[in-house]
Amino acid sequence: MALKFHAAIHLSLQLSPSPTLFAPSFCKPQKLLKSLVKKTHVCQSSLVDEQQQQISFNEQENQLINALVGIQGRGKSASPQQLNEVGHAVKVLEGLEGVSEPTGSNLIEGRWQLMFTTRPGTASPIQRTFVGVDFFSVFQEVYLRTNDPRVSNIVKFSNAIGELKVEAAATIENGKRILFQFDRAAFSFNFLPFKVPYPVPFRLLGDEAKGWLDTTYLSPSGNLRISRGNKGTTFVLQKKTEPRQRLLSAIWTGTGVLEAINEFIKLNQNVAKDEMELIDGEWQMIWSSQMETDSWIENAGRGLMGKQIVTKNGQLKFVVDILLGVRFSMTGTFVKSSLNTYDVKMDDAAIIGGMFGLPVEMETKINLELLYSDDKIRISRGYKNIVFVHARTDGTRQN
């Protein structure tokens, strides 16, 4: 017995989204989305200027940056392959000659954004509560050349809500190690004229409020830092982020995603003009320009949710985890029809649980256009001209 469902989908190349869907306040959505097709007119914002700034990373640093792209929860949701890539890149950098005495350099001063940690849920209270949540931005401020040297951990909830700042008095032990002791913390809510104390009695914690932080690599450019803490945690922090990281940050926080995609494609126009391929591997959908409106099985069969697995022999599989080991799976083929466009036909679907499967009669035809593609990020347009962003979850492709 099979569940029966049929959906033949033929797409035009003209975008026709809802006029209020993900619309930025400073630009009409129709104009913004149309630029994804023509790539000629783009609404301007400060993000464009920021992305056009030159960011200095050497070859080994770029390997670490590339390994970090697509990892969710600052490491909490990383796959084993992703963790291995990051771990290897960290060890390579720690073996290189960065700034020899980081704590004595002005380059360590300032605000650093936390990009990755090996223990996002087992160390300090701030890590257990906030670090693994991508919706929040996490920073560390280091100011050692003042009358009151401090290291502070900051969780920024949003521009509208405010932030939590946990501060520690700091002293320099040697060229790599900072000693610290947490002594105060407070919430700064933008809708309140006063700070709200963070309910942790640091004075009563004694040695539990103390620790140390070794900087094992500080880039000569001052843009990248690797540190290890007294609880065995490894941190990767950046002062400046590269365009893919900023695009993913917009997606994780849900702020300005559509314009961020538009601006990212504008910055990569040379890539978009070249021939792109549908790269093999496992790709998790992390964002789409339209909410799911049909039944879950229709959405799953149209690639509007879950994971896509692309193989080198021209096969494509949609996989959606349902519950307790039960998943929806649909297999099909793709054939290149023009420069960056593929004809996709999905026609072998089933609901699978362990060794058992229930066939589902479905057929989906999609015209898939690649707008941007590399080993980590894929931006495409598919069913009903919906724009999708997928992140690679099985590591970087080996050439």
Side-chain angles (χ1 to χ4, degrees):
M1 181 180 69
L3 299 178
K4 294 184 178 181
F5 179 82
H6 180 82
I9 304 153
H10 303 277
L11 306 179
S12 67
L13 294 179
Q14 192 66 35
L15 292 168
S16 56
S18 167
T20 59
L21 185 62
F22 298 105
S25 59
F26 53 85
C27 177
K28 292 183 178 180
Q30 295 91 339
K31 184 182 293 184
L32 187 63
L33 281 169
K34 190 177 293 183
S35 66
L36 285 171
V37 181
K38 296 183 177 180
K39 305 181 184 69
T40 54
H41 177 82
V42 181
C43 297
Q44 299 297 316
S45 76
S46 58
L47 183 59
V48 172
D49 297 331
E50 181 185 1
Q51 289 182 338
Q52 289 174 337
Q53 295 175 0
Q54 293 296 322
I55 303 174
S56 177
F57 294 116
N58 62 34
E59 180 181 352
Q60 292 79 10
E61 291 168 354
N62 274 322
Q63 290 179 358
L64 175 56
I65 299 302
N66 193 53
L68 293 174
V69 170
I71 291 181
Q72 299 185 47
R74 300 176 186 87
K76 185 176 183 179
S77 302
S79 67
Q81 295 94 329
Q82 290 173 321
L83 291 175
N84 287 337
E85 282 191 14
V86 173
H88 175 72
V90 164
K91 289 181 179 179
V92 168
L93 286 175
E94 289 180 328
L96 296 180
E97 183 65 28
V99 176
S100 58
E101 295 191 354
T103 59
S105 172
N106 289 329
L107 293 175
I108 202 172
E109 303 270 316
R111 172 174 280 208
W112 296 84
Q113 183 170 356
L114 179 64
M115 309 304 297
F116 176 87
T117 174
T118 55
R119 302 175 66 194
T122 59
S124 68
I126 195 170
Q127 285 180 263
R128 288 195 296 269
T129 307
F130 301 113
V131 168
V133 182
D134 284 313
F135 184 77
F136 306 136
S137 298
V138 181
F139 301 92
Q140 185 178 81
E141 289 184 346
V142 179
Y143 293 105
L144 304 176
R145 286 153 187 79
T146 67
N147 293 330
D148 183 22
R150 292 200 160 266
V151 174
S152 303
N153 294 331
I154 300 167
V155 178
K156 185 175 181 181
F157 303 114
S158 70
N159 291 330
I161 297 175
E163 65 183 30
L164 166 64
K165 186 173 186 178
V166 181
E167 300 184 49
T171 57
I172 297 175
E173 183 177 50
N174 55 43
K176 292 184 178 296
R177 178 165 293 183
I178 299 171
L179 304 177
F180 62 85
Q181 181 171 358
F182 290 111
D183 57 4
R184 64 190 184 215
F187 292 94
S188 296
F189 296 117
N190 294 336
F191 48 83
L192 294 177
F194 53 85
K195 294 183 178 181
V196 178
Y198 185 55
V200 175
F202 293 110
R203 293 181 180 179
L204 300 179
L205 293 179
D207 290 342
E208 288 296 317
K210 299 178 181 179
W212 51 260
L213 186 69
D214 284 349
T215 294
T216 56
Y217 181 80
L218 177 62
S219 65
S221 65
N223 287 332
L224 178 66
R225 173 164 64 96
I226 300 171
S227 293
R228 294 182 183 268
N230 58 291
K231 294 185 178 181
T233 308
T234 301
F235 306 94
V236 179
L237 307 101
Q238 294 175 231
K239 279 186 179 176
K240 294 181 179 179
T241 52
E242 60 110 48
R244 289 179 302 174
Q245 291 175 312
R246 289 192 287 273
L247 170 60
L248 292 174
S249 178
I251 291 174
W252 304 147
T253 59
T255 55
V257 179
L258 202 55
E259 58 266 31
I261 292 173
N262 197 41
E263 291 160 356
F264 178 82
I265 292 177
K266 179 178 183 293
L267 288 172
N268 292 278
Q269 285 183 356
N270 291 334
V271 176
K273 291 178 182 178
D274 297 333
E275 184 174 3
M276 291 180 283
E277 61 175 314
L278 197 57
I279 298 174
D280 57 280
E282 296 183 5
W283 297 84
Q284 179 69 41
M285 194 194 79
I286 57 176
W287 185 85
S288 71
S289 62
Q290 181 168 309
M291 300 295 291
E292 300 164 7
T293 56
D294 300 317
S295 69
W296 74 266
I297 197 168
E298 291 174 311
N299 289 320
R302 292 164 178 167
L304 298 183
M305 58 196 301
K307 182 181 295 185
Q308 295 183 3
I309 301 176
V310 183
T311 64
K312 294 181 179 179
N313 60 357
Q315 287 194 332
L316 177 64
K317 180 183 288 186
F318 297 160
V319 179
V320 179
D321 292 326
I322 302 173
L323 181 67
L324 298 176
V326 179
R327 68 185 186 277
F328 170 86
S329 176
M330 188 172 187
T331 304
T333 59
F334 61 90
V335 178
K336 198 160 194 175
S337 56
S338 62
L339 184 64
N340 293 317
T341 304
Y342 291 83
D343 290 330
V344 178
K345 181 180 179 181
M346 309 295 292
D347 56 7
D348 184 8
I351 297 175
I352 301 173
M355 299 176 60
F356 303 97
L358 175 64
V360 181
E361 293 188 10
M362 297 179 65
E363 182 178 279
T364 300
K365 294 181 180 179
I366 303 172
N367 181 263
L368 178 69
E369 181 183 4
L370 297 179
L371 302 176
Y372 175 85
S373 180
D374 64 25
D375 278 348
K376 291 289 185 176
I377 297 293
R378 187 178 78 207
I379 305 175
S380 61
R381 183 170 49 242
Y383 170 70
K384 286 189 177 178
N385 287 319
I386 297 172
V387 176
F388 300 89
V389 181
H390 287 81
R392 185 83 174 271
T393 59
D394 63 341
T396 303
R397 179 178 60 172
Q398 300 297 319
N399 294 322

